[in-house]
Amino acid sequence: MEQEKAPDIKNPKALLFSLCFVLMFSVMNGTMFNIAIPDIAVAFDLLPSQVSWVMTGYIMIYSVGALIYGKLADTVAFKTLITFGLTVFTVGSLVGFIAPNYGFVLMARIIQAIGGSMIPAIAFLAPIRYFPKERGKVLGIISSVMAFASGIGPILGGTIAGLLDWQYLFLSSALIIVTLPLLRKNIPDEDTSNLKLDYFGASLVASTIVTLLMGITLSNPFSLIASLLFAIFAYIRMRLAKEPFIPPHLFENRNYVVAILTGFISVSCLFGLMFTVPILLRDVYELSTLQIGLVMFPGAMSAALIGRKGGSLVDQKGSRVIFAMSLFLLMSGLFIVSSTVGINPVLFSFMLVFPMMCFPLVQASGADILANILKNNETGVGMGVFNLLNFVSGALSGAIIGKILDVFRPDEAWNILALSGSSSVYSNVFLICSLFILIGLIFFKLLFSDTETKAPY
């Protein structure tokens, strides 16, 4: 495939650094607040179901926003989107820092999500637009930053909340604004095309996602039914609108559908791993929050270190080969973790390296596959759907695994190599995830065509 000409960038290294810096802040903002939820509940005398909206509300707005920003990125200049997003995010952070009551905390998180959801959309689109010759390597770096930030976030959040107070998590998030001058200086000037956004179609898609996430996180069947109805209306609108919010022909390309579904399976299992491990370490090993962060730290570091090399392999060997390889490694890593649950926590920490190092490989190769498939003028919305499914997968895997841990406590592990006892349920969860990755790998190998070409529309 002929490489597209990259726009003139004054300082590519500075642009990449600022993109990674702003992405790290965004990802840590989510994981840091997981640590702060108990403190917020105590501060405002809240029930668990009430304080959970600090995360639930953020995820709902963030996931929808990532799709909308992706759509806007096809026609609106990146400088405009970045300036708007970072400014709004910073305003939300400052509102949270001075929040006098829980209502203001929720409002702050929603404002943060409205601005912050710009970041993953731009972070995955910028390498495609500005670094076409090193796209795989840059996507690998971006993905490794995401994985590292996910691991370091709880440690940093616990330290800030412990030494100062949970409000200072908002203040630390506001520091993201320091990257704006550097980003604006290094992003090329671009024109904003005539923007024709299908607002009705966008509202139907947003309603579908919000009700789906509410149904998943709150176990509300009425929300799930409403989500199905909204999805039907969104599909009808997609077919009837002259310029639909999501072009229906995206889903007529088999390679695109196979890639996003396989990515959804793999990211669900990765998020499921990161959701389950802290619970496992508290339940089985009785570790403190700081100790949990330290156990997960080697895995986060391995992901950070492997990202650049893995991204370079995408450029050298092709995204299809690396994606299949990363699925095989992830399947093997989850099986290793399933087999070693209950052993010494220091040794278990190093077992976590095997699946966690696959995070940047899966993300970078998956994003590069989509970049090869999508037309240039629809990369934004196509990658927006990819980002949307990533966030939905996190909510879905967390809700399902949470329910399993609530009601299913077997005494025997299904994995014959694993220890039985209190750790059996965790071993079984990781074994199931490993089998799902195997199914995804087979699905990808059988249905994804050998040629990586742009979609024919």
Side-chain angles (χ1 to χ4, degrees):
M1 184 182 68
E2 184 180 353
Q3 292 280 9
E4 57 193 88
K5 187 177 184 298
D8 183 33
I9 303 173
K10 296 178 182 178
N11 192 333
K13 289 185 178 179
L15 174 58
L16 180 58
F17 172 79
S18 52
L19 282 171
C20 290
F21 191 71
V22 77
L23 181 64
M24 186 168 68
F25 262 94
S26 174
V27 174
M28 287 196 305
N29 181 68
T31 56
M32 285 193 305
F33 275 90
N34 285 335
I35 299 295
I37 283 179
D39 293 333
I40 296 173
V42 171
F44 298 110
D45 193 22
L46 301 171
L47 296 173
S49 59
Q50 294 172 314
V51 76
S52 67
W53 281 99
V54 170
M55 293 305 301
T56 302
Y58 184 84
I59 291 172
M60 287 193 298
I61 303 299
Y62 199 88
S63 58
V64 173
L67 175 58
I68 293 176
Y69 279 113
K71 176 69 174 180
L72 293 174
D74 288 326
T75 53
V76 179
F78 273 20
K79 272 188 180 180
T80 302
L81 293 177
I82 286 172
T83 302
F84 175 81
L86 291 187
T87 302
V88 171
F89 182 88
T90 302
V91 169
S93 299
L94 295 176
V95 170
F97 179 63
I98 62 174
N101 55 52
Y102 184 54
F104 271 84
V105 172
L106 284 183
M107 182 175 68
R109 290 292 281 168
I110 290 172
I111 296 173
Q112 277 190 324
I114 292 172
S117 55
M118 169 277 303
I119 297 169
I122 299 301
F124 276 98
L125 289 173
I128 297 170
R129 181 174 297 187
Y130 300 135
F131 302 91
K133 294 182 179 180
E134 297 180 300
R135 188 174 64 200
K137 184 175 83 170
V138 175
L139 284 169
I141 294 171
I142 293 290
S143 300
S144 67
V145 169
M146 289 182 65
F148 175 74
S150 297
I152 201 70
I155 299 176
L156 184 61
T159 302
I160 293 173
L163 295 178
L164 299 171
D165 207 347
W166 62 267
Q167 291 99 325
Y168 285 88
L169 296 179
F170 279 108
L171 188 61
S172 63
S173 296
L175 294 175
I176 200 172
I177 197 67
V178 302
T179 62
L180 182 56
L182 191 61
L183 284 165
R184 287 188 60 84
K185 178 181 178 181
N186 290 287
I187 289 179
D189 292 323
E190 300 163 314
D191 295 326
T192 295
S193 306
N194 183 26
L195 179 61
K196 294 181 180 179
L197 186 64
D198 177 18
Y199 293 100
F200 182 55
S203 65
L204 288 174
V205 172
S207 299
T208 301
I209 301 306
V210 168
T211 51
L212 174 63
L213 291 176
M214 287 181 65
I216 292 171
T217 56
L218 303 179
S219 302
N220 189 329
F222 297 105
S223 290
L224 295 175
I225 294 172
S227 178
L228 177 61
L229 293 175
F230 279 124
I232 293 172
F233 292 140
Y235 176 79
I236 295 172
R237 175 66 180 180
M238 191 188 302
R239 288 292 180 183
L240 297 180
K242 185 177 180 180
E243 295 187 22
F245 180 65
I246 300 178
H249 54 242
L250 279 179
F251 305 104
E252 293 170 2
N253 184 293
R254 189 179 72 179
N255 277 1
Y256 179 78
V257 174
V258 170
I260 61 172
L261 289 181
T262 310
F264 178 82
I265 293 172
S266 58
V267 175
S268 294
C269 293
L270 278 166
F271 278 130
L273 172 76
M274 288 186 281
F275 170 83
T276 308
V277 168
I279 301 174
L280 154 69
L281 295 175
R282 180 66 59 85
D283 183 28
V284 176
Y285 295 102
E286 299 181 348
L287 301 184
S288 67
T289 300
L290 180 59
Q291 289 172 327
I292 290 171
L294 291 175
V295 168
M296 297 183 70
F297 185 70
M301 280 300 299
S302 70
L305 294 173
I306 203 170
R308 182 169 183 173
K309 179 60 178 177
S312 298
L313 286 175
V314 170
D315 291 327
Q316 296 167 12
K317 304 295 184 181
S319 50
R320 181 176 179 270
V321 172
I322 302 303
F323 187 65
M325 181 191 76
S326 65
L327 291 178
F328 178 79
L329 291 175
L330 178 57
M331 176 190 69
S332 304
L334 286 167
F335 182 78
I336 290 171
V337 172
S338 170
S339 304
T340 54
V341 170
I343 65 171
N344 182 279
V346 175
L347 295 177
F348 184 70
S349 174
F350 289 99
M351 297 302 105
L352 289 173
V353 167
F354 293 101
M356 291 182 71
M357 72 178 184
C358 296
F359 190 102
L361 294 176
V362 169
Q363 289 282 77
S365 56
D368 195 73
I369 283 176
L370 295 180
N372 285 325
I373 294 171
L374 295 164
K375 287 179 66 176
N376 293 338
N377 64 343
E378 291 181 338
T379 304
V381 67
M383 292 299 295
V385 173
F386 171 72
N387 282 322
L388 173 67
L389 288 178
N390 280 350
F391 297 124
V392 172
S393 70
L396 181 64
S397 61
I400 292 176
I401 292 174
K403 289 296 182 185
I404 291 174
L405 297 179
D406 285 344
V407 302
F408 185 56
R409 289 286 175 170
D411 294 326
E412 297 291 330
W414 298 337
N415 186 337
I416 60 173
L417 301 178
L419 299 172
S420 294
S422 61
S423 62
S424 295
V425 63
Y426 301 102
S427 173
N428 294 344
V429 165
F430 298 135
L431 181 63
I432 292 171
C433 288
S434 179
L435 293 176
F436 270 109
I437 298 297
L438 175 61
I439 293 170
L441 177 59
I442 295 172
F443 177 72
F444 180 76
K445 294 288 287 184
L446 291 179
L447 297 181
F448 195 90
S449 65
D450 291 335
T451 56
E452 294 184 350
T453 57
K454 296 281 186 183
Y457 39 77

